[in-house]
Amino acid sequence: MTEYHPAKIEPKWEKKWEEQKLYQIATQQPRNTATKKFYDLVMFPYPSGNLHMGHVRNYAIGDVIARFKRMQGFSVLHPIGWDAFGLPAENAAIKNKSHPADWTAKCINQMTKQLKRLGISYDWSREVTTCKEDYYKWTQWIFLKFLGKELAYQKKAMVNWCPDCQTVLANEQVKEGKCWRCDSPVYEKALKQWFLKITDYAQRLLSDIEKLSGWPEPVKIMQRNWIGKSRGVEIKFGVAPFSSQVLNIYTTRPDTLFGVTYMVLAPEHPMVDKLTKGTKYEKAVQAFKEKVKHETLHEREESSGKEGVFTGAYAINPANNEEIPIWISDYVLMEYGTGAVMAVPAHDQRDFEFAKTHNLPIKVVIKDGNRDALPRACRGVQSQVSDNKAFIDEGIMVNSAQFNGQPSPDGLKNIGDWLVKKGVGTWKTNYKLRDWLISRQRYWGVPIPVIYCDKCGVVPVPEKDLPVKLPKNVRFTGKGSSPLAQVAEFVNTKCPKCRASAKRETDTMDTFICSSWYYYRYTDAQNKTQAFAKEKVDHFMPVDQYIGGIEHAILHLLYSRFFAKFLYDQKLVPTDEPFKNLLTQGMVIKDGAKMSKSKGNVVDPDDIIKKYGADTARLFILFAAPPQKELEWSDKGVEGCFRFLNRVWRLVTQIINCKPQATNPELTKKTHQTIKAVTEDIERFSFNTAIAKMMELTNELSRANDKDPEAIKALLILLSPFAPHITDELWNKLGNKKSIHQEPWISYDPALIKEDELTIVVQVNGRMRDTIKVSATAEKNAVICAAKASEKVKNFTSGKQIVKEIYVPNKLVNLVVK
RNA sequence: GCCAGGAUGGCGGAAUUGGCAUACGCUGCGGACUUAAAAUCCGUUCCCCGAUAGGGGCUGAGGGUUCGAGUCCCUCUCCUGGCACCA
């Protein structure tokens, strides 16, 4: 009998699988004529250089599903690729004086080796790399489709600007308001940028969440909140000194209109200058504007104080013609609504704080219905606004003319309709979702395929000229404008329309664009003339199972849904939702904290594979916790899984030379029960309990004197999706010629699972007192009689009256006594 | 602050529909094998009373519904994640 040496057997099988192209979809043997497809997708990695445990978890989960579905006879698409553009490559290039392309290629090479060493059953012939020309050509092509439908456009937008590095920074590069590289404060700066009009799809992105029955509820809630739909009224306020001017505000609470005591504009609001020009307030207002402008993003977000200045102007409340002062403050955002709000300090917490700070009046118009059913005038009403809190709940309208006495939800509707009738209001729907800023002043990304011509303006690069190639000879200093702007050969070109000299766009695209459509490319990865052929996407889409980290719950998944809807509208793809089922895996942690270099609690997958083998690594990571939950790493737990595989090894190698023995009916029953349980557990992603049940079967088989070959065959097949190497080796040792991974999934015989004797729990007054064995066919009365006959039960029933008998078939009897 | 999720032995976790709480693994303890150790195997391990039989208690805290609650409802505490001036 040989010993279990994973290091010897695992690479051998990986090589064989690759040679036999076992996992390429074309080579999978269809088991029946009507083979159904199953698209099993894991979130492709950023090639950072090394696989970490989070990757291992993601890919181990994906692989169990792929192997299981394949054995069930599905034609499984299980691809992998690289989200290869992005900032880290550029930073590494600056640091190591290398080229991002070389650095990325090296990382991909290293991680490919690691993935292959894990024995994940990918179809490598469909590998997709987003930084390669044959991929980003089609990313540009899709961009042009957006441009053609006017869903890609340019506008000025605020970006993070580092005055020292003379460059734009991504949000994650701004650490506490300072540049991560030079530590100088980061400011907001308006730059002309490219956007995708995702807001056009806001309503569909919201409504279609209902279609996603296979998605976890928390992810759907996060997306709903992110889209942030609200219903309200846009109201016109007259401006006192300029009767011709109006200011539009947006409110979700028109019921509080009579409680407006002032108005606040965003400092950037275009009316601010008009209102203050030449007045004594101009100086203070300009100073405040200037201050806000120079406030870093961080400062503006963090400033809890309600700062602001009076503009000297007054607005007229259309409800009661009251004049109210107009202020400006940084708590009002230009980007949302109309950039102006009506302030109701009695019923809005922010307005309340602002009013307190600046001594502005507070007027109650909604009375707490719970405190006093009668909205008697408004005496005493002031008291419900305590020293530090506005009353923001629903209540009864007061101080609101003809609306007095109405419940505020009715008042909300009635005042809104009243304003519409008067011609000063419009019902409006607003979304928090903003258009997607996709320009990056970076090198390592997809060039935006656009040319600027003095005569023709913005000209899309014609499809036949794609891809717009990223030039290789670029200097990386990390300073100055976009690196591409410094490459004359790239920038200077001819206008495709008029052939005059023209300049290329030098910004590149946000990498989230690359990852918003990669799952389509997998369906036809080697297509040289199209992004993907219609019949291929039609066959494979949608993704049947998508697996990845919860950290992508909003951005990646929302962007992908947006792309899917757009491509669906262009009749390029068959469904308007890309991912049918979603599994969000939890983090891998150690000592209660996320693994990180700074904490020194990183476990390197390579070390685990070296010591115990890939099968043990995979098994532990699936056994230690359910996939959705956090997983606490435990070295001892890994050893436990290694011991289990050793037990399986000994169990199987022991019987190789033995003659088949008579089967033991108890073992057969246990085997078939295990087949049923493991199958059901895999289907509901309960991999940890599936493994526990295989351990039980193994323990029982080891203890049994007669080794049942059928049971051992079943155990190996059940275990093969989890531990593919050892099972293929043992399968081979048992004399099988074909790989175990080409076997069909094993089914159980319901007749063999049936217990002919059942254990029934007997309770007295709901407390367990005894268990009795009865025949599986026993009638209710017989079971209750047997229960009453139990000596232990009698101890609790004697001398008492049985008032109720509860019988749950096959499970329990409960005798209620008095 | 708002939204979501969670709390079960010394630890990771199980209990799928309200029906034997703690499966499986780890750790600890005891034993077998061995000159010895490792490996392996066997037993044991929620707490309390008890030699055993047996009994009592226990799923973050308190209350409720029910013949019966880890599971359903209400109140509270703590933890984790997401969002956060969105008018």
Side-chain angles (χ1 to χ4, degrees):
Chain A
M1 194 172 77
T2 54
E3 265 182 65
Y4 173 45
H5 286 302
K8 277 187 195 158
I9 62 165
E10 291 186 345
K12 180 181 86 185
W13 286 103
E14 283 155 15
K15 211 175 137 216
K16 271 198 188 171
W17 299 333
E18 196 162 352
E19 282 165 6
Q20 295 177 5
K21 300 186 175 165
L22 219 52
Y23 310 122
Q24 286 189 22
I25 205 156
T27 56
Q28 285 174 30
Q29 296 296 313
R31 292 198 175 79
N32 53 54
T33 45
T35 306
K36 279 210 282 190
K37 69 96 183 178
F38 189 90
Y39 190 171
D40 179 28
L41 182 68
V42 292
M43 289 183 183
F44 66 165
Y46 177 80
S48 56
N50 268 300
L51 232 48
H52 56 72
M53 281 301 171
H55 291 127
V56 178
R57 190 176 197 191
N58 194 187
Y59 308 143
I61 294 167
D63 199 37
V64 171
I65 296 170
R67 290 177 183 277
F68 175 67
K69 288 287 174 187
R70 221 176 269 129
M71 291 172 98
Q72 281 192 325
F74 288 89
S75 135
V76 175
L77 176 58
H78 188 214
I80 191 72
W82 309 97
D83 188 11
F85 272 133
L87 221 53
E90 219 166 316
N91 296 335
I94 295 164
K95 209 171 145 193
N96 311 327
K97 300 211 161 40
S98 67
H99 194 279
D102 301 334
W103 184 82
T104 304
K106 223 164 88 186
C107 291
I108 290 176
N109 194 22
Q110 161 71 4
M111 288 170 79
T112 301
K113 269 190 217 151
Q114 290 179 303
L115 277 178
K116 289 191 172 172
R117 189 56 195 81
L118 275 170
I120 315 277
S121 63
Y122 293 126
D123 179 348
W124 284 95
S125 71
R126 291 168 186 271
E127 184 177 358
V128 155
T129 308
T130 61
C131 67
K132 286 192 176 167
E133 279 170 35
D134 66 350
Y135 184 84
Y136 75 66
K137 172 179 178 176
W138 303 112
T139 308
Q140 292 174 337
W141 179 78
I142 292 171
F143 174 86
L144 292 178
K145 294 270 166 219
F146 276 107
L147 191 61
K149 294 284 163 190
E150 290 174 356
L151 288 167
Y153 68 97
Q154 285 181 292
K155 74 170 178 196
K156 269 200 160 188
M158 290 296 177
V159 292
N160 303 311
W161 182 257
C162 172
D164 190 46
C165 301
Q166 288 283 298
T167 190
V168 163
L169 300 173
N171 281 337
E172 49 278 8
Q173 293 174 308
V174 183
K175 295 264 138 69
E176 284 166 0
K178 290 174 177 174
C179 174
W180 65 300
R181 199 184 297 127
C182 70
D183 240 12
S184 40
V186 173
Y187 298 102
E188 284 198 315
K189 188 177 172 177
L191 276 182
K192 206 173 187 189
Q193 305 278 290
W194 281 98
F195 285 83
L196 289 190
K197 216 167 182 182
I198 191 171
T199 52
D200 266 18
Y201 282 75
Q203 186 54 52
R204 280 169 72 191
L205 286 166
L206 180 67
S207 324
D208 288 354
I209 290 174
E210 276 179 40
K211 291 189 197 168
L212 303 173
S213 56
W215 282 38
E217 214 52 46
V219 175
K220 292 197 273 187
I221 291 166
M222 276 193 252
Q223 292 219 346
R224 275 194 201 102
N225 292 343
W226 189 262
I227 295 167
K229 183 179 182 174
S230 75
R231 188 82 181 135
V233 189
E234 207 171 285
I235 306 172
K236 280 184 201 163
F237 278 62
V239 181
F242 317 90
S243 51
S244 59
Q245 299 283 354
V246 288
L247 270 169
N248 276 317
I249 61 94
Y250 171 76
T251 182
T252 55
R253 293 290 304 273
D255 52 326
T256 63
L257 183 60
F258 286 86
V260 174
T261 56
Y262 62 100
M263 183 187 275
V264 189
L265 305 185
E268 308 92 335
H269 196 286
M271 277 292 279
V272 173
D273 288 352
K274 277 188 201 164
L275 294 176
T276 56
K277 199 151 184 73
T279 70
K280 61 173 179 170
Y281 299 96
E282 186 177 10
K283 232 175 127 186
V285 166
Q286 287 305 323
F288 185 76
K289 277 182 70 171
E290 205 52 28
K291 179 172 174 276
V292 171
K293 205 166 153 190
H294 284 287
E295 249 177 354
T296 64
L297 217 63
H298 183 71
E299 281 163 2
R300 185 158 176 181
E301 276 166 7
E302 291 296 296
S303 80
S304 50
K306 293 283 175 249
E307 289 184 56
V309 292
F310 179 44
T311 61
Y314 290 83
I316 296 153
N317 185 341
N320 52 16
N321 293 321
E322 268 177 30
E323 280 197 4
I324 49 167
I326 303 174
W327 286 64
I328 60 171
S329 171
D330 61 353
Y331 83 87
V332 177
L333 308 172
M334 195 59 223
E335 296 83 40
Y336 185 79
T338 60
V341 302
M342 63 178 215
V344 188
H347 305 294
D348 181 282
Q349 189 59 27
R350 293 153 305 176
D351 297 344
F352 177 83
E353 283 164 24
F354 192 84
K356 282 267 173 190
T357 313
H358 302 284
N359 270 321
L360 290 156
I362 298 171
K363 185 181 165 194
V364 172
V365 289
I366 298 189
K367 195 170 149 59
D368 189 341
N370 296 327
R371 292 199 180 191
D372 188 350
L374 297 167
R376 215 175 302 129
C378 56
R379 230 176 312 124
V381 161
Q382 203 72 30
S383 63
Q384 78 185 42
V385 177
S386 66
D387 279 349
N388 51 14
K389 268 212 169 121
F391 177 71
I392 57 169
D393 298 336
E394 291 177 357
I396 306 293
M397 312 268 298
V398 293
N399 276 335
S400 300
Q402 67 266 43
F403 301 98
N404 282 344
Q406 295 186 5
S408 64
D410 297 348
L412 191 152
K413 200 186 166 294
N414 293 336
I415 291 183
D417 290 344
W418 177 61
L419 291 169
V420 173
K421 213 176 272 170
K422 281 177 52 159
V424 293
T426 329
W427 285 101
K428 272 253 161 89
T429 300
N430 255 316
Y431 299 90
K432 283 196 244 180
L433 184 71
R434 314 235 180 109
D435 276 342
W436 177 8
L437 195 168
I438 59 159
S439 297
R440 295 289 179 271
Q441 293 69 39
R442 291 288 166 184
Y443 167 72
W444 195 234
V446 184
I448 296 173
V450 158
I451 291 166
Y452 299 101
C453 169
D454 284 342
K455 261 201 285 182
C456 311
V458 178
V459 183
V461 173
E463 261 184 46
K464 65 173 173 50
D465 295 344
L466 296 181
V468 175
K469 290 186 191 173
L470 207 52
K472 209 167 173 204
N473 58 331
V474 176
R475 284 184 55 229
F476 300 98
T477 56
K479 297 202 174 191
S481 56
S482 171
L484 283 181
Q486 299 166 37
V487 185
E489 313 88 274
F490 177 82
V491 176
N492 298 316
T493 183
K494 293 260 184 296
C495 171
K497 271 194 191 159
C498 70
R499 309 307 302 163
S501 293
K503 290 192 186 306
R504 283 191 193 281
E505 168 66 65
T506 57
D507 284 354
T508 53
M509 295 182 211
D510 180 8
T511 55
F512 273 111
I513 303 243
C514 307
S515 55
S516 292
W517 75 278
Y518 75 110
Y519 44 91
Y520 292 119
R521 182 68 181 174
Y522 280 144
T523 67
D524 194 11
Q526 295 179 9
N527 196 322
K528 291 203 165 51
T529 57
Q530 286 168 290
F532 39 79
K534 184 91 172 70
E535 70 270 17
K536 299 269 173 79
V537 266
D538 283 359
H539 177 250
F540 285 113
M541 289 301 293
V543 171
D544 293 281
Q545 185 64 56
Y546 198 22
I547 307 146
I550 184 85
E551 66 273 17
H552 295 109
I554 296 169
L555 293 180
H556 165 62
L557 290 169
L558 192 69
Y559 292 152
S560 294
R561 295 182 58 222
F562 168 48
F563 264 57
K565 288 183 192 308
F566 171 72
L567 295 173
Y568 174 78
D569 290 350
Q570 310 316 307
K571 305 207 164 31
L572 291 166
V573 301
T575 58
D576 63 349
E577 283 293 339
F579 314 126
K580 210 165 145 191
N581 297 293
L582 175 69
L583 176 62
T584 47
Q585 81 195 54
M587 274 195 311
V588 181
I589 58 170
K590 176 129 193 270
D591 311 319
K594 191 178 169 175
M595 286 187 183
S596 73
K597 274 182 198 151
S598 58
K599 288 206 182 71
N601 61 349
V602 178
V603 181
D604 185 352
D606 282 349
D607 294 343
I608 302 299
I609 291 171
K610 220 176 272 169
K611 201 165 168 194
Y612 302 103
D615 283 341
T616 296
R618 297 168 52 132
L619 203 66
F620 169 73
I621 225 162
L622 294 165
F623 178 62
Q628 298 89 343
K629 281 186 70 172
E630 265 186 1
L631 185 152
E632 169 79 33
W633 187 266
S634 151
D635 292 332
K636 289 287 180 191
V638 177
E639 268 175 55
C641 287
F642 184 60
R643 274 202 281 271
F644 165 63
L645 289 182
N646 270 287
R647 270 205 299 280
V648 172
W649 179 271
R650 280 194 301 274
L651 177 71
V652 180
T653 48
Q654 263 170 27
I655 69 147
I656 285 168
N657 297 317
C658 297
K659 283 187 187 134
Q661 288 154 320
T663 54
N664 166 344
E666 278 305 305
L667 271 184
T668 306
K669 193 201 290 171
K670 179 76 184 173
T671 305
H672 281 254
Q673 284 170 341
T674 305
I675 295 169
K676 178 174 194 280
V678 171
T679 307
E680 287 169 2
D681 282 354
I682 295 176
E683 262 154 10
R684 64 186 178 106
F685 308 131
S686 187
F687 306 120
N688 52 337
T689 54
I691 293 167
K693 279 153 196 164
M694 290 187 267
M695 287 171 168
E696 280 185 58
L697 180 62
T698 305
N699 290 344
E700 218 159 296
L701 287 173
S702 311
R703 266 192 280 265
N705 292 321
D706 38 350
K707 309 294 181 203
D708 182 346
E710 286 304 307
I712 281 168
K713 179 187 163 185
L715 175 65
L716 288 180
I717 287 177
L718 294 178
L719 186 58
S720 67
F722 299 83
H725 308 86
I726 186 176
T727 46
D728 221 358
E729 173 75 14
L730 291 172
W731 190 250
N732 178 267
K733 277 191 189 305
L734 288 173
N736 295 289
K737 293 281 173 289
K738 262 193 348 191
S739 165
I740 193 168
H741 305 299
Q742 290 174 294
E743 284 294 310
W745 189 249
I746 193 162
S747 56
Y748 64 93
D749 182 348
L752 292 173
I753 288 181
K754 273 211 181 116
E755 304 275 0
D756 26 52
E757 213 180 29
L758 294 173
T759 303
I760 303 284
V761 170
V762 185
Q763 298 180 333
V764 179
N765 286 348
R767 301 194 49 115
M768 212 273 282
R769 293 305 177 189
D770 198 9
T771 58
I772 53 169
K773 297 222 178 213
V774 298
S775 146
T777 55
E779 295 289 324
K780 175 180 174 180
N781 286 341
V783 176
I784 290 175
C785 270
K788 284 179 186 166
S790 151
E791 284 303 320
K792 287 177 189 168
V793 170
K794 275 182 185 167
N795 289 338
F796 293 91
T797 54
S798 65
K800 287 177 181 152
Q801 195 196 348
I802 295 175
V803 293
K804 205 168 178 184
E805 292 162 353
I806 285 143
Y807 172 67
V808 181
N810 304 336
K811 271 188 184 148
L812 142 157
V813 171
N814 187 13
L815 303 171
V816 184
V817 300
K818 249 201 313 211

